[in-house]
Amino acid sequence: MDGFICKESLERSSVAPDNDQEIDTGFLGTSKHLSQDGDKIITEAKGIGHLFGRRSSGNDSPYTASPSSSQHFCVSISGRPPRGKRAFLCGVSYKKQKFRLRGAINDVHSMRDFLVEQFNFPLDSILILSEEESYKPPTRKNIEDGFKWLTRGLQFGDSLVFYYSGHGLRQADFNGDEKDGFDETLCPVDFLTEGMILDNYINEAIVRPLKLGVTLHAIIDSCHSGTMLDLPLVYNKITGNWDDNQPPSGAYKGTNGGKAICFSACEDHQMAADTSALSQENVMTGAMTYIFITAIKEAIANKQRITYRGILDSMHKTLDEDNKVESLRAQISRLFKHRIFQEPLLSSSEDFDVNTQFKL
């Protein structure tokens, strides 16, 4: 298998609660993975290749999920989604596998609560795939069915969200669709037997069906996620312009009249991280998920106008200036012998003013 799956554990001294427990941090939902040891901060990179050689007992995680059943509202994956706002949230933990992720469950709960509390998404409009008992597992088939649910019966004015927290890979591109020669992929819980989900498929499944008046926002928290939707434009933060990302093959990667916008955890050649360093309670979260939600909630709290550029700038600022994150950056760089830490990216199906207001 080409590529990487990148979440290796790193530890450093800190202070954390003594046991797994349900707490209210104001950011996360009710399921939280906390350090039982009380003196460790865990960081995991969100890709896989180097982990296949790592031995695992299957129960080496110091965290366990303890979700509240009252927080679960299960939406039928085969049903018809409601009009207006709808979201498909996918968190892959890879339980009992050596490349297990401990932040994915927290990420999904955080995103669910964020959409409900900040953007008034009804609970019955949010489809969740997770390895918790109350939800369908994030298998390849279920994720593909989730894409169908998200784009079923679209009408003018619908606002869609696709969120993914899990491992990401890249593999050689043989279709001439990628400028860098690699396809980006999502890794379902059963990807070792059923295969990965390629960016080409994702584009066909949730970008191409978007009709006039329909908007999709994707938030992808994985390694190699920069162009995970294969969108034709990538925002250049340095120049302030949109760079052309159309495939050399000439294949059409746009919508059917709608609009698709994607926030990614990192560029295609980079790796992303889950960490317990960002949370004051040492809760495991995706770094990208945490800083994305925090950027918007802080803007709302300060009564600031929320723009796409503002969100991206805030995310970069946190990763560039936060002392904890800088320490993690150094640790991960030493582990992989080269610079792999994440730089969030914005891509789109069309040119638009990034200073316009962000809304879901």
Side-chain angles (χ1 to χ4, degrees), residues 63-84:
Y63 306 98
T64 57
S66 54
S68 168
S69 60
S70 65
Q71 293 294 319
H72 292 173
F73 188 101
C74 295
V75 173
S76 172
I77 199 170
S78 60
R80 186 180 183 88
R83 280 293 320 280

Side-chain angles (χ1 to χ4, degrees), residues 215-280:
T215 301
L216 166 71
H217 285 87
I219 301 106
I220 312 296
D221 194 345
S222 75
C223 290
H224 313 297
S225 55
T227 62
M228 191 66 76
L229 267 63
D230 261 0
L231 298 179
L233 293 172
V234 173
Y235 181 67
N236 187 319
K237 189 173 179 292
I238 297 175
T239 66
N241 298 317
W242 290 96
D243 290 342
D244 185 1
N245 187 52
Q246 296 188 68
S249 66
Y252 182 67
K253 296 291 184 174
T255 70
N256 188 31
K259 186 175 184 178
I261 301 170
C262 181
F263 282 93
S264 302
C266 59
E267 297 187 22
D268 287 339
H269 66 281
Q270 295 177 326
M271 296 181 185
D274 274 6
T275 181
S276 60
L278 292 170
S279 167
Q280 292 182 354

